[in-house]
Amino acid sequence: MLSLAQLQQSSRRHFLKSSGLALGSIALGSLLRGEASGAPLPADPLAARPAPLPAKAKRVIYLHMTGSPPHLDLLDYKPELVKRDGQDCPAQFLEGKRFAFTSGVPKLLGTPRKFQQFGENGMWMSDALPNLQKVADELCVVNSMNTDQFNHAPAELLVYTGSARPGRPSLGAWVTYGLGSESENLPGFVVLISSGVQPNGGKNSFGSGFLPSVYQGVQCRSQGDPVLYASDPAGMDRAMRRLSLDALRNLNQLQADELGHPETLTRIAQYELAYRMQMSVPEVMDLSQEPQAVLDAYGAKPGASSLANNCLLARRLVESGVRFVQLFDWGWDFHGTGAGTGLEQGLTDKCATMDQPVAALISDLKQRGLLEDTLIVWGGEFGRTPFREGRTAKSKVLGRDHFPDVYTMWMAGGGVKGGYVHGASDELGFSVARDKVHIHDLQATILRLLGFDHERLTYRFQGRDYRLTDVHGSVVNELIA
């Protein structure tokens, strides 16, 4: 007859198995071949691993302009739209369409910005981007982006998790799951947020979903403690912290040996990483170590909270071995409901906070020999309409509504073509005229640059294999150098 302790243990194991908690993690080698395996999480889940395919990029800096920039006023020049400014929008472009804040027949809106061509290949860029104009030959611009969502949160989740619903792993989590980190003392995936507001998709935009939680993004701050809860509690010195962590590790290892739950091993790894981060994170986050000339190039100020500081921190982080750095910058929702979200002075002011540090980041990485294998991605969650936003139709402030059908993003470094413009929208900017790139195609291309076949980077959860691109996506080989 079984003892009470044996019965409790048997019942516990049965519950974990029936609830799916004892499935464990899939071994990475088998995972990349599309096979299922019951192998446990590696002892060091963030250890650097080689890409399964030849890779052009080793790391990623993803710059998300939260709210979505007005691409028609920055990078996609439409002279015909300018000629027809103020005319009623043609009916064929409105039939069957839904817009977030516009109904009836809106007026076409040609850009109030001045455009010129820059770089060896004559890339069109507006006067709102005076510094990015100087690095035009490094940019790989995609003027034919397309997405399925026109509201912020679901569109942002689609960009980062491949699904408009929360619960899936984010792009950064997939990348660190597949490649680990090149640093032993820093997280593999770091998140930096400027303008004081969390991303529209919340922490799901940089979460690990059903992947082990060690792969989620770690949010760092440029003011106060760089990482919350990593400091020693009051009255505890570093030696006492080490003793406490040793005791916790032993207890967690006993549970891991008994139950085989991958999150228990994740917990051990996270405690150990947090201990090492106490020394390494404050150093890498200390911008006062940078020469004044570098601070001036970015427009960064030690101790401040800004996109400029975060761009410089991103360079320091990838230089220190962080695999994926995600920057979210709030304030790009240019509806024109106030002067700050207008396409004239409002866009000038907002671009001034982004244009200089992003251009400096590209130049700085190139000067240090890091740009060739660091992929920079820039964009929002969708685009903006070629007509005036409905609520501001009679206002002196110009603005645009949300628009998923066609918009612009760009990449630089990391094996993409520089000075290259891919695809095109029609002459009024309502639809893709050539070489459509769906957001799943962009995800597939980013993974390919990092050395992955997006169809084979999978994780088994609740009985089936999941991947970032779901059941969609094709690599856009024309973007790859």
Side-chain angles (χ1 to χ4, degrees):
M1 181 176 290
L2 293 174
S3 67
L4 177 60
Q6 288 173 319
L7 285 170
Q8 288 174 328
Q9 186 179 46
S10 175
S11 175
R12 190 178 185 187
R13 284 175 174 160
H14 174 75
F15 167 75
L16 288 168
K17 185 175 181 180
S18 64
S19 64
L21 293 176
L23 287 173
S25 182
I26 297 175
L28 192 65
S30 298
L31 174 150
L32 295 176
R33 293 191 297 270
E35 304 166 3
S37 168
L41 194 70
D44 184 359
L46 287 176
R49 292 180 285 276
L53 300 173
K56 291 181 177 290
K58 293 181 178 179
R59 61 196 76 86
V60 178
I61 298 174
Y62 200 121
L63 306 160
H64 187 81
M65 307 296 106
T66 304
S68 298
H71 62 288
L72 294 169
D73 306 288
L74 296 174
L75 293 159
D76 191 8
Y77 183 41
K78 294 295 165 196
E80 184 63 24
L81 185 61
V82 173
K83 291 179 186 177
R84 298 176 63 174
D85 178 61
Q87 296 180 14
D88 285 349
C89 182
Q92 68 264 31
F93 296 124
L94 303 176
E95 293 173 357
K97 299 288 185 181
R98 294 171 57 207
F99 304 101
F101 298 100
T102 303
S103 58
V105 181
K107 302 291 186 183
L108 294 175
L109 178 56
T111 182
R113 314 299 311 197
K114 302 299 181 185
F115 273 75
Q116 287 182 267
Q117 290 176 285
F118 296 90
E120 291 185 7
N121 294 326
M123 183 179 294
W124 286 102
M125 302 178 76
S126 88
D127 57 355
L129 304 172
N131 290 283
L132 283 170
Q133 292 168 1
K134 300 172 185 176
V135 293
D137 287 331
E138 305 297 338
L139 306 185
C140 179
V141 175
V142 184
N143 276 333
S144 53
M145 288 299 304
N146 171 262
T147 186
D148 304 332
Q149 301 293 325
F150 67 88
N151 282 323
H152 294 294
E156 188 176 288
L157 289 175
L158 183 62
V159 170
Y160 292 111
T161 73
S163 171
R165 298 180 178 87
R168 301 280 185 90
S170 62
L171 173 59
W174 279 113
V175 171
T176 50
Y177 173 61
L179 294 177
S181 176
E182 293 182 313
S183 172
E184 294 183 353
N185 301 320
L186 293 168
F189 177 16
V190 172
V191 178
L192 301 168
I193 294 174
S194 49
S195 301
V197 181
Q198 292 284 324
N200 285 304
K203 293 185 178 180
N204 286 290
S205 293
F206 53 89
S208 58
F210 45 71
L211 290 177
S213 56
V214 72
Y215 300 114
Q216 68 187 351
V218 174
Q219 185 174 340
C220 291
R221 308 182 306 162
S222 54
Q223 292 180 320
D225 285 347
V227 180
L228 293 176
Y229 314 118
S231 300
D232 291 328
M236 177 179 284
D237 60 19
R238 191 161 176 81
M240 180 61 71
R241 177 74 165 235
R242 182 67 265 170
L243 287 172
S244 300
L245 288 177
D246 288 345
L248 284 171
R249 181 193 60 214
N250 293 337
L251 290 170
N252 282 320
Q253 190 62 56
L254 287 172
Q255 187 179 60
D257 293 342
E258 178 186 354
L259 301 176
H261 194 331
E263 276 301 299
T264 308
L265 295 175
T266 284
R267 190 182 307 140
I268 295 171
Q270 287 173 324
Y271 282 151
E272 293 301 319
L273 177 60
Y275 182 76
R276 298 193 301 272
M277 283 167 54
Q278 286 181 313
M279 303 298 290
S280 56
V281 169
E283 181 179 358
V284 77
M285 299 288 287
D286 183 7
L287 295 186
S288 66
Q289 298 181 18
E290 293 287 337
Q292 188 61 46
V294 173
L295 294 172
D296 292 343
Y298 281 84
K301 297 179 181 178
S305 179
S306 66
L307 179 58
N309 277 28
N310 288 350
C311 284
L312 181 49
L313 286 171
R315 189 222 81 205
R316 290 174 63 86
L317 287 164
V318 298
E319 199 172 31
S320 299
V322 174
R323 182 72 67 185
F324 198 103
V325 183
Q326 178 76 62
L327 276 65
F328 290 98
D329 185 56
W330 180 267
W332 293 90
D333 199 15
F334 279 81
H335 286 283
T337 52
T341 61
L343 301 177
E344 295 172 292
Q345 192 59 47
L347 184 58
T348 297
D349 293 343
K350 185 60 180 174
C351 282
T353 69
M354 178 278 297
D355 175 60
Q356 177 182 345
V358 173
L361 174 63
I362 294 171
S363 298
D364 197 7
L365 288 171
K366 185 174 182 179
Q367 185 270 328
R368 294 167 187 269
L370 290 169
L371 185 61
E372 63 183 23
D373 55 10
T374 301
L375 178 65
I376 300 175
V377 186
W378 181 97
E381 56 266 32
F382 43 60
R384 316 300 303 194
T385 54
F387 51 77
R388 292 203 63 165
E389 209 263 61
R391 296 172 300 175
T392 63
K394 297 181 180 179
S395 170
K396 292 182 180 179
V397 181
L398 304 176
R400 303 184 187 275
D401 208 343
H402 306 172
F403 198 59
D405 292 1
V406 61
Y407 62 105
T408 298
M409 293 182 65
W410 60 257
M411 297 184 285
V416 298
K417 294 178 180 176
Y420 174 67
V421 178
H422 181 81
S425 57
D426 63 48
E427 63 179 2
L428 295 180
F430 276 93
S431 61
V432 175
R434 185 179 73 252
D435 299 327
K436 179 185 288 187
V437 179
H438 188 271
I439 194 65
H440 287 308
D441 300 328
L442 182 71
Q443 293 162 348
T445 305
I446 291 171
L447 291 179
R448 182 62 191 86
L449 287 164
L450 290 162
F452 289 103
D453 178 344
H454 72 105
E455 294 183 350
R456 298 172 77 87
L457 180 60
T458 62
Y459 190 87
R460 182 162 287 268
F461 176 67
Q462 294 184 338
R464 83 168 177 92
D465 291 339
Y466 284 84
R467 69 185 207 223
L468 172 64
T469 50
D470 196 25
V471 295
H472 310 284
S474 298
V475 175
V476 186
N477 289 305
E478 294 85 349
L479 302 178
I480 301 174

